Amino acid sequence: MRPGLIYFDHNATTRMKPEVARAMLAAMDQPRNPSSVHAFGREARRLVEEARTRILDSISAHGYQLIFTSSGTEANNLALRGMKQVKLLFSAIEHVSVLKSQEPDAVIPVTENGVIDLNALVNLVNRFEGKVLVSVMLANNETGVIQPLAEVVRIVHAAGGLVHTDAVQAYGKMPVDMKALDVDLMTISAHKIGGPQGVGALIAKKNIALKGEIRGGGQELGLRAGTENVAAIVGFGLVAMQVDHHMQKLRVNQMIRDRMEATLKAIDPRVQILGSAAERLPNTSCIVMPGVKSDTQLMHFDLAGIAVSSGSACSSGKVETSHVLKAMGLAADVAENAIRVSLGTENMQSEIDRFCASWRELFQRAGAKEPAPTYEEAMVA
Ligand code: PLP
């Protein structure tokens, strides 16, 4: 990381772990096409299959099918675009790679805490007589709110339907046990926890019939043609071996996340931490600064050398209110004041202190109605 800069945007992507970069470089040192029958090809195949096993182990999905893709986005598309004979139900807070993969037959609402409305799910599943594929993410990328997936699976399976979960943000940040969850399809990706970008995976129970969209060679069980990205797959496999360690380190950082939230609330009680009434990932905080728009905040923090992101999605040059915050019922003038802070394993208390001081400085200048306590005073309180 560049000295002096603070990176608080780990839900967007993370710095690659040095040992992952080293393993990838080593993998790139030889020609590696896993479909070739000669010694080079066989070694490439061994590397790919070793990574596959490591990843399946990391989510307790031994014996399931795993298809490597170019991203979490592609894995979501592979899961959701192939099943024509079922009705598609997406939660309202899914990532755009789910929401835009297909037009859903119905959208499942969430409560004001950002948790899926299970009663609404029951009604929708009944309306479609159980012939459904339901996609509910394990943890949300903007708020970090963890969804009651085991309950979702129980409801949908009891009616005869299937469940896909986008676990891109959950993977490596909370325990993910695919067999215990009994979910039918799961998407994961490597780059949110120190792995490479440009590689993802769809994991599915053996009996799920998938339909690939990329035609050509017979790679990945004929579901995803194209020579495998061996180096990235090796990096993914290494990250998979480290998920427990990664989780433990993030759990330590939950303390500094919680202290940050308490400090900001002590500066002004009107500060809102969205989704904080629900169970959340240990690294994510969606913070509303009263009276100050998120784009003003982003600029301010950027000038201060602190990288955070807004809850708004910037598409075709215009900043739109986040669909996640909208689905939680937030008024537009509140949602547009939300920023996301997402910590990584290497962040430190001193960085949080700098952020809180900078936050307080902007708030005092642009949002406060009366003199706010300093962040040091707020921290003691
Ligand atoms: N799903 C969620 C919840 C995400 O946060 C992201 C990335 O931000 C994706 C899917 C897409 O993953 P990828 O960047 O690997 O395409």
Side-chain angles (χ1 to χ4, degrees), residues 173-247:
K173 298 178 187 163
M174 60 179 274
V176 179
D177 185 325
M178 190 165 174
K179 279 197 179 148
L181 284 169
D182 198 25
V183 68
D184 303 285
L185 299 127
M186 179 181 284
T187 294
I188 55 174
S189 176
H191 72 101
K192 311 291 185 182
I193 51 167
Q197 296 163 347
V199 65
L202 179 68
I203 300 96
K205 284 182 179 169
K206 272 271 158 67
N207 62 334
I208 304 279
L210 293 164
K211 193 167 157 290
E213 294 209 313
I214 302 179
R215 313 270 159 78
Q219 292 92 347
E220 296 301 287
L221 308 169
L223 291 166
R224 208 277 174 177
T227 305
E228 297 87 340
N229 185 349
V230 177
I233 289 170
V234 165
F236 198 168
L238 194 53
V239 155
M241 289 175 76
Q242 301 178 348
V243 284
D244 287 342
H245 182 60
H246 196 269
M247 242 180 318

Side-chain angles (χ1 to χ4, degrees), residues 11 71-73 76 95 97 137 139 141 166 168-169 189 191-192:
N11 285 10
S71 57
T73 297
N76 280 339
H95 187 261
S97 56
M137 65 203 328
N141 42 305
D166 173 348
V168 167
Q169 290 294 343
S189 176
H191 72 101
K192 311 291 185 182

